[in-house]
Amino acid sequence: MSTTSAGAAAERAVLDAVPKQLFIGGVWRDGAEGATVDVEDPATGDTIAAVADATPDDALDALAAAHEAFGEWRDSAPRDRADILRRAYEAITERSDDLALLMTLEMGKPLAESKAEIAYAASFLRWYAEEAVRIDGRFTTHEAGSGRLLTMKQPVGPCVFITPWNFPLAMGTRKVGPAIAAGCTMVVKPAKLTPLSMLMLAKILEEAGLPAGVCNVITASSSGSVMEPLIKDPRTRKLSFTGSTEVGRSLIAQAADQVLRVSMELGGNAPFVLFEDADLDAAVDGAMVAKMRNIGEACTAANRFHVAAPVAADFADRLAERMGAMKIGRGTEEGVEVGPLIDAEQLDKVAELVEDAVAKGARVLCGGERVDGPGNFYKPTVLTDVPADARLLTEEIFGPVAPVRAFASEDEAIAAANDTEFGLVAYVYTGGLARALRVCERLEVGMIGLNQGMVSNAGAPFGGVKQSGIGREGGPEGIEEYLEIKYVAMPTP
Ligand code: NAP
């Protein structure tokens, strides 16, 4: 894993360009106690930066700034908000190489995947630049003809956003874009493992002309103690969280104090259901994307493969051939397809889930072990004959591991797919139109990739049912999360 001196200089340059302080009320400043949090490169374990460590008082200052800015921002011209978002979109697009390198350094994914995330993240700013000027209402006549009903939409108010490490920029722009478009102000807290991309976004929004206090960014080592006072503060009107179901559940409880509006983008356990009438080549291609995008560290990652018995062995062999051949390494290196997992804890969890399945009778077709040496690398792994009680069928793996199970009938496949408390996404491969519609209707999920291995798209409503979440991000639906409906009743003029 050698880095050339030119490569090292480029890395240093993108890291140096990131502001490392808190961004509160348009001012970059240290945390009140002057403490910092280290950020590591998961491929090497080296510390690559240190960012400010906010105290609860710093967080409350950020909320005060968002609250103060809301007074003017709520009445700003939609076209001005749209123009700021558009400029930020263009700036991100122009700087995508540097932003991708930064993302790979803090999160580990291969550069090509970081570039794809940068484009995806920017697309939310472009989409909501276009939505900002299309916020509408209704004007209707009372059913008795005796009056008029006017319905208007107004910004919710100051928002609190908490985002995860796995998509360090896109999980932020999915919230920040529609909130700015709607006229909301916000405090954003990225994950401490990957704060750098979000700090760069704050800088880009500042350069794009976003007024002080509209978007405040804080970084902290202790997210619980720093965020709880904000969630319980009456000035906050909305909480949007992307992360694990476990943390989301506790945040919903905290949000109950102020009866906050909440959006929750939580964990997944996506089934990949492959019927014997599907195009097997296309299914293997789709499985590679659904499983290996983001090193398997995606809420949308295919967590288990339910495959029709006649094609199960063939599918598993072909998947193992493809996954077993992937190049593992530091995400900055040429041709690398599989980067490190985010930290030692995640690596241990993946290894433990595989050991559990193997101990219960699963067979390893490829991988099944860590990579020796520094960094949190795990080999892409395909398991077959996975028994029903293996933990990885019910728990989110969040790593490059594909368990394959055979099914005998459509009913059995659907029952297995739905046998989870999660309901984010499912992938279905079939050549039959009637079956496709039947299965899509019966799956208990918010999104389905039908004969394709990816669903993410700024123009579409992303989100889950059951314990995968509440609300939608993206598309025309995404801005509604930041708008309150007000209705005015008036007599006939
Ligand atoms: P996580 O542990 O739940 O953390 C998510 C965010 O919450 C981080 O910023 C974290 O900060 C913060 N946090 C943790 N405990 C908190 C608390 N008590 N109070 C306030 N904030 C708290 O999740 P993760 O490991 O970062 O991300 C992986 C999870 O996110 C997976 O379950 C994945 O499925 C889910 N996810 C869902 C979607 C979706 O759209 N549905 C998208 C991406 C990821 P610190 O880490 O700094 O403590």
Side-chain angles (χ1 to χ4, degrees):
M1 282 182 211
S2 59
T3 306
T4 63
S5 57
E11 291 176 15
R12 201 63 265 156
V14 297
L15 290 167
D16 286 348
V18 184
K20 315 289 188 312
Q21 294 171 296
L22 310 176
F23 188 52
I24 299 177
V27 176
W28 293 95
R29 61 172 233 205
D30 290 334
E33 290 173 0
T36 55
V37 197
D38 284 348
V39 182
E40 284 180 8
D41 176 344
T44 60
D46 294 343
T47 297
I48 52 172
V51 299
D53 189 0
T55 64
D57 283 344
D58 291 322
L60 286 167
D61 286 351
L63 179 60
H67 184 251
E68 199 189 320
F70 183 60
E72 271 190 37
W73 184 243
R74 63 183 302 162
D75 297 325
S76 57
R79 177 57 67 198
D80 290 345
R81 303 199 295 266
D83 286 347
I84 291 166
L85 286 171
R86 180 75 203 190
R87 283 197 291 273
Y89 160 76
E90 279 162 9
I92 292 176
T93 306
E94 274 162 26
R95 292 152 77 170
S96 66
D97 286 341
D98 286 353
L99 291 168
L101 177 56
L102 181 69
M103 186 178 289
T104 290
L105 291 175
E106 67 173 342
M107 189 275 167
K109 69 179 89 177
L111 268 179
E113 289 209 54
S114 291
K115 274 204 89 162
E117 181 182 339
I118 300 295
Y120 176 51
S123 71
F124 286 99
L125 303 185
R126 180 177 55 186
W127 179 274
Y128 287 107
E130 290 153 0
E131 289 293 304
V133 292
R134 315 238 183 280
I135 298 167
D136 56 13
R138 273 193 298 140
F139 182 83
T140 47
T141 302
H142 188 292
E143 61 180 330
S146 54
R148 299 291 180 265
L149 317 177
L150 181 63
T151 306
M152 58 180 82
K153 292 182 182 172
Q154 297 180 309
V156 169
C159 305
V160 169
F161 296 157
I162 303 175
T163 58
W165 51 262
N166 64 337
F167 290 98
L169 194 63
M171 298 302 97
T173 56
R174 255 180 16 178
K175 302 181 194 304
V176 169
I180 288 177
C184 291
T185 57
M186 63 216 79
V187 177
V188 190
K189 193 209 75 68
K192 60 176 168 288
L193 294 171
T194 59
L196 305 177
S197 297
M198 189 65 72
L199 290 166
M200 277 309 286
L201 177 65
K203 188 176 176 197
I204 286 168
L205 287 168
E206 184 187 17
E207 288 166 4
L210 192 69
V214 173
C215 180
N216 306 276
V217 177
I218 56 170
T219 47
S221 60
S222 173
S223 33
S225 63
V226 165
M227 298 314 283
E228 187 168 353
L230 263 59
I231 295 168
K232 295 189 167 174
D233 191 294
R235 290 170 294 184
T236 301
R237 293 312 319 144
K238 159 107 194 166
L239 167 66
S240 180
F241 170 74
T242 300
S244 62
T245 296
E246 191 187 355
V247 173
R249 220 180 263 127
S250 76
L251 297 183
I252 292 170
Q254 290 176 21
D257 248 40
Q258 296 292 333
V259 193
L260 279 191
R261 278 185 67 164
V262 295
S263 298
M264 292 281 145
E265 297 285 349
L266 308 178
N269 176 8
F272 185 107
V273 185
L274 168 58
F275 292 95
E276 66 273 25
D277 58 5
D279 175 339
L280 203 55
D281 291 333
V284 174
D285 287 346
M288 289 297 291
V289 178
K291 180 71 253 179
M292 292 308 297
R293 177 172 174 237
N294 227 44
I295 324 163
E297 294 174 315
C299 53
T300 50
N303 210 57
R304 53 213 162 94
F305 293 79
H306 300 284
V307 184
V311 293
D314 193 11
F315 170 77
D317 286 344
R318 292 210 215 174
L319 189 61
E321 198 182 322
R322 293 274 294 273
M323 281 177 57
M326 293 180 87
K327 184 173 175 194
I328 305 171
R330 189 169 186 242
T332 50
E333 286 168 23
E334 189 69 29
V336 162
E337 297 164 291
V338 188
L341 296 177
I342 189 70
D343 60 13
E345 200 184 326
Q346 188 58 31
L347 177 63
D348 287 345
K349 186 188 155 203
V350 170
E352 194 183 303
L353 288 174
V354 171
E355 280 157 26
D356 166 79
V358 171
K360 288 171 178 162
R363 267 193 314 124
V364 179
L365 290 191
C366 69
E369 56 187 7
R370 302 161 195 248
V371 177
D372 288 339
N376 313 306
F377 295 94
Y378 197 84
K379 292 186 183 168
T381 298
V382 177
L383 303 174
T384 50
D385 303 334
V386 179
D389 61 344
R391 281 172 49 201
L392 43 53
L393 296 178
T394 50
E395 294 179 33
E396 198 176 23
I397 303 170
F398 242 54
V401 178
V404 180
R405 265 175 76 75
F407 65 78
S409 70
E410 189 178 303
D411 281 348
E412 186 191 327
I414 291 169
N418 288 339
D419 186 18
T420 168
E421 75 262 27
F422 297 106
L424 190 61
V425 61
Y427 303 94
V428 177
Y429 274 78
T430 174
L433 180 59
R435 167 177 272 160
L437 289 176
R438 203 165 53 229
V439 173
C440 285
E441 285 184 5
R442 290 178 64 193
L443 287 173
E444 298 166 354
V445 289
M447 304 175 285
I448 295 174
L450 178 58
N451 293 325
Q452 66 176 48
M454 195 165 95
V455 293
S456 303
N457 183 320
F462 189 105
V465 300
K466 294 161 79 177
Q467 293 190 32
S468 285
I470 303 169
R472 294 293 180 271
E473 292 189 327
E477 292 84 358
I479 197 167
E480 299 297 333
E481 304 277 330
Y482 299 96
L483 293 168
E484 289 287 13
I485 292 173
K486 185 183 283 173
Y487 138 68
V488 180
M490 54 193 278
T492 309

